[in-house]
Amino acid sequence: LHIAILASILSLIIYWLIRDRYRVRNLSGKHVFITGCDTGLGNSLAKWLDQKGFCVIAACATEKGGQELQSCSSLSLKTVNLNLADSNSIARAVVFVAEQTAGKGLFGLVSNAEGTAPVAPTDWLRIEDFHSVMDIGLLGLIEITLKLLPLLKKAEGRVVNLINAKGLMAFVGGGYSLSKWGMEAFSDTLRIEMKHFGVKVSIVEHGFFKAEAVNSDIIEKYLFRLWNRLTPEIRESYGEKYFVE
């Protein structure tokens, strides 16, 4: 029995050592498209992959974000403006990616986006508050993934969806957790379907980053705005004490 256990442990160690030796070779000419590159994790990843030699196409929500990223990257890094809540903007970005890849296909798609997330009890919110986060953090990411699948299949590439683990804990109302759980389900389904085409689909559940620190003043301001638009009946049901605490 002891010998069998030791043999199993040794086999696992050998397996992990062999697996960890696998590295992507010949990085030059491999295109990776990353969303949400203005700041934070997407911005850092774009710079890191650029340094490694990938042909990075970084999608930024603002022209300023794109300019700042280009100023500290190599000439091979390209930026494109992208509003994930706008289908026309998504279509233009997909055309740009197709032009940049020049028939070679897309080696990697990294989806990284955070919608504006109201932090408040559910019955303080309206349907547009759900749209404000889900149109970007779920539906927008799904739409651009669907439109890039032909390029990913051509290169037998990979999809990597970055999901903030805090969104997997439903401790507050609104669309934030819905968008994260939705991306988990979408990724799991896509992984099964794309295996036939040699396209890998991965989820990276990351934690908190200093760059993503939430400004408490902004949250408080948002809460006041939501509180002030509530009907008298809802305010009375909660009471001033609930809001202050």
Side-chain angles (χ1 to χ4, degrees):
L1 179 61
H2 293 297
I3 295 175
I5 293 174
L6 288 173
S8 299
I9 294 173
L10 183 60
S11 298
L12 283 173
I13 293 173
I14 293 173
Y15 168 77
W16 284 109
L17 288 174
I18 294 174
R19 178 181 165 178
D20 287 347
R21 290 173 63 90
Y22 289 135
R23 294 289 185 272
V24 177
R25 308 296 179 186
N26 302 319
L27 306 184
S28 178
K30 286 183 167 61
H31 288 82
V32 178
F33 179 66
I34 310 171
T35 66
C37 293
D38 294 77
T39 59
L41 186 57
N43 183 276
S44 299
L45 180 61
K47 294 175 183 175
W48 187 76
L49 291 180
D50 178 51
Q51 292 172 358
K52 291 292 183 181
F54 284 98
C55 296
V56 176
I57 307 171
C60 297
T62 64
E63 288 189 13
K64 180 183 177 182
Q67 291 170 356
E68 291 179 348
L69 179 57
Q70 282 186 314
S71 68
C72 55
S73 305
S74 76
L75 294 176
S76 67
L77 183 143
K78 307 297 181 182
T79 61
V80 60
N81 289 346
L82 175 63
N83 177 3
L84 284 169
D86 181 357
S87 291
N88 291 326
S89 178
I90 290 174
R92 288 192 294 269
V94 170
V95 170
F96 182 80
V97 173
E99 291 173 348
Q100 292 297 314
T101 55
K104 292 183 291 185
L106 184 62
F107 178 76
L109 165 63
V110 182
S111 291
N112 167 60
E114 296 283 322
T116 303
V119 178
T122 299
D123 62 349
W124 290 24
L125 304 172
R126 299 172 181 171
I127 192 63
E128 55 263 30
D129 296 317
F130 286 84
H131 277 295
S132 69
V133 59
M134 295 187 69
D135 285 351
I136 295 175
L138 177 59
L139 298 177
L141 291 179
I142 289 176
E143 183 174 355
I144 199 163
T145 302
L146 295 177
K147 290 185 175 179
L148 288 173
L149 281 180
L151 294 177
L152 288 161
K153 289 162 69 174
K154 187 168 188 176
E156 294 190 355
R158 66 277 326 276
V159 177
V160 180
N161 290 324
L162 305 181
I163 298 176
N164 197 321
K166 67 184 179 184
L168 303 177
M169 299 177 287
F171 59 86
V172 67
Y176 190 77
S177 290
L178 293 177
S179 69
K180 301 310 173 190
W181 288 1
M183 280 305 294
E184 291 265 343
F186 174 71
S187 302
D188 288 342
T189 303
L190 191 66
R191 182 184 304 113
I192 297 170
E193 296 169 345
M194 288 296 108
K195 185 177 181 181
H196 173 74
F197 300 99
V199 176
K200 299 179 177 66
V201 180
S202 302
I203 300 170
V204 176
E205 296 174 353
H206 61 85
F208 295 89
F209 291 87
K210 187 176 181 180
E212 298 174 348
V214 179
N215 189 324
S216 59
D217 293 336
I218 295 176
I219 293 177
E220 186 176 349
K221 184 179 179 180
Y222 211 118
L223 279 172
F224 270 111
R225 186 175 72 81
L226 293 175
W227 176 261
N228 289 331
R229 80 178 188 187
L230 294 177
T231 63
E233 292 78 12
I234 294 180
R235 281 198 217 174
E236 186 177 347
S237 70
Y238 281 90
E240 295 284 347
K241 185 178 180 181
Y242 178 94
F243 179 64
V244 173
E245 291 179 350

